[in-house]
Amino acid sequence: MKTLGMGSVLILLTASVSAGEALDICLVTGTPTTEIKYEKIQQIKIGKGIYGSVTDILLAFADEANALGANAVVNYIGSQRFGFWPWRFVRPVVRGEAVKLHLENGKTCQDIGGATVKRVIGTNKEPHLI
């Protein structure tokens, strides 16, 4: 753990998965339709203690979801949030619920209104806008 000034703490996440697997995590900004079955695993949230882009922490977020056994994150939100002193510090935060999607009939992440982490990083857009 590395401590940064002003009491902010940055936790460096490590996972025993390859980046390729984490980049395939499906991000969905809302929830899939009722015909798509999924198992809820756990809420996850990762923030950066200093200025930056959401894409700076998206791979760590995907690694966390992958480590939990998820293949998707529903209710995904990636945004700039105010830190401890709102008049000074804005930092990127990503959050959502790690889930195990059960896609049938050849459906893909894009078919259900999502986008992979790789695609979100490449386009720097929210999953529903891709």
Side-chain angles (χ1 to χ4, degrees), residues 53-86:
S53 169
V54 167
T55 58
D56 294 346
I57 58 174
L58 202 48
L59 184 56
F61 182 75
D63 284 341
E64 178 72 15
N66 200 25
L68 292 169
N71 63 356
V73 174
V74 297
N75 294 318
Y76 165 81
I77 299 172
S79 62
Q80 297 290 328
R81 307 291 294 182
F82 288 112
F84 183 72
W85 287 288

Side-chain angles (χ1 to χ4, degrees), residues 36-42 69-72 74 97-102:
I36 305 297
K37 305 295 181 215
Y38 60 90
E39 299 170 39
K40 296 178 180 181
I41 298 175
Q42 180 180 327
N71 63 356
V74 297
E97 185 168 11
V99 300
K100 183 75 172 177
L101 275 179
H102 300 288

